[in-house]
Amino acid sequence: MPDHEITDAAIAQEQQALDIALARRDEAIGELTARLDGLVEEDSVAATARRSTRTRLIELERADSGLVFGRLDALDGEVWRIGRVGVPGQDELDDPLVLDWRAAAARPFYTATAVEPQGQARRRHIRTEGRRVIGVDDEVLDGSGDGGLVGEGALLAALDERRTGRMGTAVATLQREQDDIVRAPSRGALVVQGGPGTGKTVVALHRVAYLLFAHPELARAGVLVLGPSQRFLDYIGSVLPALGETAVVSATCETILPGVRPERTESRRLAEIKGRAGWQDALEQHVASLVPSAQDLPIRWEDEEYVVPRATVERLLRTACSGRDHHSARRAFLAQLIDVATDLVAGGTAELLASAEEGLEDILGSVDASLARDDDRGVTTGEAGAAVDGELTPAEIEALRSRIRADAPFASRLWQWWPDRDPAAELATLLADEETLARVVPGLGAGERALVAAEPAGWAPSDIPLLDAMSDLIGDDGQVGSQAEFTADRASGRRDWVYGHVVVDEAQELSPMEWQMVARRAPGYSITAVGDIDQTEAAHTHTSWEGIVGDVLGERWRQSRLTICYRTPREVMALTGEVLAAAGSDNEPPRAVRSSGIDPWTRQVDEGGLPAATAAAADELARRWTGGTVGVVAPAVRVPGLRAAVRPDVPVVAPTGAKGLEWDAVLVVDPDDIIAEPRGHNGLYVALTRCTQELGQLRVSTTSAQ
């Protein structure tokens, strides 16, 4: 049979299987919809069932396109079709029509090779458009071959597709080193080092989908994805929903604190100063100093004065402050103080009655004797209590405790001695006071303290981690959480939410204080951090992962590497070795696996003609890559002017804004000025590696610039 007839037969076979799976999916959607309509939220069990049903319904609804993308044929004849989500068989005992890509049985689709077939005879990649199968790509896993890329034909076809400005899923083309990271254990922090185009972000997002599937308990707490910019979050925004995940909150370090946003920019020097690890200990010591000192504490109750001795107050403070934030410690102190006050008042009542009774004992004794003589029945009441014998019964003591607890003046007097603290006001006061900074943050030099104290009002980006730390140390007094139906909606409104897992993209950019924000939201260190140390542009001075995460994670992290570049063509990656060496890196650039056949080009442009030349080159690239995307990367100082010159559908960004993004064609404008910026060679490395097909550069002629 001719090859085209074999291909047509395979496509027809997969189309039939896809039609059956889609029909069963539609049936399942109907069943879930009916079940959802029948669920009445009368208790927590019903509410949980409703959330679970709705999540599964959304998962199936979003899988309309690309429901099936692969097939595994085992040596024993077993056949599995692999898809974006699982589709059950017609009956409970039937095998699933589509196996969820996250299931253990689906793993050989990503890891089997001709050298290690893992019990598989064949792997088939299935390409679809909507509900139509348009192509298949078979690999025979018979033990021969060089064990190279998994599904190379499908992978390279996917890489050659036009970019749309939004990241797509890659579940059909994950490679072995990527899949190993996706399915790595969730416990502990995993740092993934990978150069440009190695699929760091793809791996991180698919890891989220896998972990939520394999560990449902993580879904109950939700997953936080921290990205470098809102543009980046928009770019990846459709990936996790397409994989069926909804228990995800996306944020940047600047937007993670509910209700707080930076109001101004700041210098790199200040950002570096305020990002240092020493601030955490400094803020802890400062908040500890806000606890009132132990002293004799007077208490007034029903016109009587009582005194809690200093030694008792000191003991209560020590117990209350152990492991608690400022406001929680005060509440714990109040609870203990109520017990002490109850004992004091109860003891005082007994003493008062005993004193009054001393002068009446003889009279009462005579009366009692007389009553005893007159009462020939010899009856006694057996009653006890303060009114009878001066001693309070347990019931009377508990009633007294309740009255003291409910007494507003009692609490008010304590609040005056130990007042509320507003984290924002407390931090602003601290940062503006050089004398206090010298005492609290001894690691700062006099010049650095002066810089911090001289800042204008309003929050800068580096203040957000400090405010987050201060808010955590002081605490939210009586905060009420959202009652929204979905985990993500509840979590996004809470500063103190603890997530099941946290993913950090472009992790090399985070300062130590930003890493403290991450650790607070994942105290069990269930963290996946992906990045490239050679693309660092942040103000901090660290040049190794140990330097970046060591202050916060200590030894509770491990590292994996991605070594293959799937995005950037060989022709472009050939330029990067020299740039990395100039940046002081000891790393080799990742190995590119594909060629675009287009050599990078460079043009010289006069300074005065740069805007027009940029616009013309961008138009040229846009025409050449119709249906795809074009991006312009330039020094930060040139971005506003060039943005006004080029067509509105072509983004113009600085290297920092380009991190994590990709376009079919990229125009790098004035690379020499990019190099002149802080960490300039790192920035140029970012700029050069954003394209999937073509790279152009416009250099400003030095003669015209002089």
Side-chain angles (χ1 to χ4, degrees):
M1 184 183 294
D3 288 346
H4 72 274
E5 291 184 11
I6 295 174
T7 301
D8 290 345
I11 290 175
Q13 182 185 40
E14 299 307 332
Q15 183 66 62
Q16 182 181 21
L18 178 60
D19 291 341
I20 293 171
L22 285 167
R24 180 68 187 101
R25 163 192 168 272
D26 294 342
E27 287 179 11
I29 288 174
E31 294 165 1
L32 290 169
T33 302
R35 186 186 308 169
L36 195 62
D37 292 341
L39 285 171
V40 179
E41 292 185 27
E42 295 179 349
D43 54 32
S44 60
V45 174
T48 300
R50 184 175 180 83
R51 282 195 295 270
S52 175
T53 302
R54 179 169 290 180
T55 298
R56 175 59 174 161
L57 179 60
I58 292 172
E59 182 181 63
L60 286 173
E61 288 176 339
R62 287 176 171 167
D64 184 67
S65 179
L67 178 64
V68 177
F69 56 73
R71 168 175 159 170
L72 278 174
D73 290 42
L75 291 169
D76 62 8
E78 185 177 49
V79 175
W80 291 110
R81 285 182 171 80
I82 316 297
R84 199 174 301 282
V85 298
V87 177
Q90 202 65 45
D91 298 319
E92 289 185 6
L93 298 179
D94 291 343
D95 288 336
L97 296 174
V98 181
L99 188 64
D100 193 298
W101 70 273
R102 295 161 288 194
R107 189 172 193 192
F109 185 79
Y110 303 104
T111 59
T113 66
V115 174
E116 297 180 49
Q118 300 176 31
Q120 306 303 314
R122 180 179 65 178
R123 171 177 40 238
R124 170 173 287 175
H125 291 266
I126 302 166
R127 299 191 300 278
T128 61
E129 283 185 358
R131 295 189 166 209
R132 188 168 63 90
V133 177
I134 61 171
V136 296
D137 178 17
D138 281 350
E139 298 168 81
V140 177
L141 305 172
D142 59 359
S144 63
D146 60 5
L149 295 178
V150 175
E152 183 173 345
L155 172 64
L156 298 184
L159 292 172
D160 283 334
E161 290 177 353
R162 294 289 192 268
R163 267 41 196 171
T164 63
R166 296 182 70 82
M167 176 177 281
T169 65
V171 289
T173 56
L174 285 176
Q175 300 301 299
R176 180 160 191 162
E177 70 173 11
Q178 296 174 324
D179 190 72
D180 286 344
I181 292 170
V182 167
R183 299 173 194 263
S186 64
R187 299 187 64 181
L190 175 64
V191 174
V192 180
Q193 162 64 32
T198 54
K200 299 182 295 295
T201 300
V202 165
V203 167
L205 296 178
H206 287 73
R207 177 162 167 76
V208 170
Y210 170 74
L211 291 176
L212 289 173
F213 175 84
H215 304 282
E217 69 277 7
L218 298 184
R220 288 191 286 274
V223 171
L224 172 66
V225 176
L226 273 182
S229 66
Q230 189 57 51
R231 177 191 286 271
F232 174 82
L233 294 179
D234 293 341
Y235 174 59
I236 68 172
S238 62
V239 176
L240 287 171
L243 294 171
E245 302 305 341
T246 57
V248 179
V249 174
S250 297
T252 68
C253 287
E254 295 182 6
T255 63
I256 194 173
L257 202 53
V260 179
R261 296 293 182 271
E263 304 162 84
R264 59 181 176 81
T265 59
E266 63 188 338
S267 68
R268 287 179 63 88
R269 176 92 188 279
L270 273 168
E272 188 277 321
I273 291 171
K274 290 191 292 184
R276 293 175 187 169
W279 282 93
Q280 184 65 34
D281 288 341
L283 293 177
E284 289 175 6
Q285 295 174 23
H286 177 65
V287 172
S289 73
L290 301 178
V291 176
S293 301
Q295 62 184 59
D296 288 346
L297 195 61
I299 294 175
R300 188 169 186 82
W301 181 256
E302 294 184 343
D303 297 326
E304 292 292 333
E305 287 285 350
Y306 304 90
V307 176
V308 180
R310 179 183 180 279
T312 301
V313 173
E314 185 174 16
R315 174 175 58 81
L316 298 184
L317 285 173
R318 187 167 55 250
T319 303
C321 293
S322 178
R324 293 184 176 91
D325 64 59
H326 188 77
H327 286 150
S328 295
R330 184 180 62 181
R331 290 194 291 272
F333 179 85
L334 174 60
Q336 296 178 87
L337 185 65
I338 288 170
D339 290 339
V340 172
T342 300
D343 291 342
L344 281 174
V345 173
T349 299
E351 290 175 9
L352 180 62
L353 288 171
S355 173
E357 286 174 353
E358 285 178 1
L360 297 175
E361 284 181 352
D362 293 340
I363 298 173
L364 291 174
S366 299
V367 171
D368 286 343
S370 175
L371 289 172
R373 287 192 299 271
D374 293 341
D375 189 351
D376 58 3
R377 294 170 298 171
V379 176
T380 58
T381 64
E383 292 182 357
V388 177
D389 57 13
E391 295 292 334
L392 273 67
T393 66
E396 288 174 324
I397 291 175
E398 192 54 45
L400 174 61
R401 192 191 323 276
S402 297
R403 289 172 56 208
I404 293 175
R405 185 184 296 114
D407 187 63
F410 179 87
S412 177
R413 286 191 293 274
L414 173 67
W415 258 237
Q416 291 172 11
W417 177 67
W418 191 341
D420 283 330
R421 300 286 182 174
D422 176 69
E426 201 64 44
L427 179 62
T429 300
L430 170 63
L431 295 179
D433 187 339
E434 286 189 61
E435 184 177 338
T436 304
L437 285 173
R439 184 178 69 256
V440 174
V441 198
L444 296 183
E448 293 172 332
R449 293 194 298 271
L451 273 177
V452 171
E455 285 190 281
W459 300 124
S462 68
D463 291 320
I464 303 301
L466 299 180
L467 181 56
D468 188 67
M470 184 72 84
S471 299
D472 183 69
L473 293 166
I474 289 179
D476 301 301
D477 202 9
Q479 183 186 39
V480 178
S482 166
Q483 301 301 311
E485 179 177 5
F486 289 108
T487 298
D489 295 328
R490 297 196 302 277
S492 61
R494 291 287 299 269
R495 177 201 59 77
D496 58 349
W497 190 272
V498 174
Y499 291 88
H501 195 77
V502 175
V503 170
V504 186
D505 206 317
E506 301 295 346
Q508 76 278 356
E509 303 298 332
L510 271 61
S511 70
M513 285 306 296
E514 288 172 328
W515 271 105
Q516 290 285 359
M517 290 201 302
V518 173
R520 275 190 286 276
R521 287 156 177 82
Y525 296 96
S526 183
I527 299 168
T528 300
V530 299
D532 180 8
I533 203 71
D534 293 321
Q535 295 185 59
T536 305
E537 295 181 272
H540 63 71
T541 58
H542 302 298
T543 57
S544 70
W545 283 112
E546 173 61 37
I548 290 174
V549 304
D551 285 323
V552 178
L553 302 183
E555 297 181 356
R556 292 165 292 192
W557 63 285
R558 62 194 189 278
Q559 184 173 335
S560 293
R561 289 182 176 273
L562 294 169
T563 61
I564 301 173
C565 175
Y566 306 101
R567 176 184 65 214
T568 311
R570 293 191 190 97
E571 293 86 350
V572 174
M573 289 306 297
L575 304 177
T576 61
E578 183 178 334
V579 176
L580 275 186
S585 172
D586 294 328
N587 295 326
E588 289 290 328
R591 177 172 62 90
V593 298
R594 54 183 284 272
S595 171
S596 67
I598 305 172
D599 291 329
W601 50 265
T602 301
R603 297 172 186 167
Q604 296 290 330
V605 181
D606 292 338
E607 175 71 36
L610 185 62
T614 301
D619 286 344
E620 175 187 333
L621 291 172
R623 287 192 299 271
R624 189 147 57 239
W625 297 101
T626 300
T629 59
V630 174
V632 175
V633 186
V637 69
R638 293 193 184 274
V639 167
L642 295 179
R643 189 173 286 157
V646 305
R647 50 197 289 175
D649 61 332
V650 173
V652 180
V653 296
T656 300
K659 299 180 76 64
L661 304 181
E662 62 180 33
W663 298 277
D664 292 277
V666 170
L667 181 67
V668 177
V669 177
D670 197 359
D672 295 325
D673 267 10
I674 291 178
I675 290 173
E677 294 179 328
R679 295 212 190 209
H681 283 96
N682 300 86
L684 183 59
Y685 184 53
V686 172
L688 294 176
T689 54
R690 297 304 97 194
C691 73
T692 64
Q693 304 293 343
E694 181 176 357
L695 172 69
Q697 297 185 69
L698 296 183
R699 292 186 178 275
V700 179
S701 299
T702 54
T703 53
S704 61
Q706 291 175 344

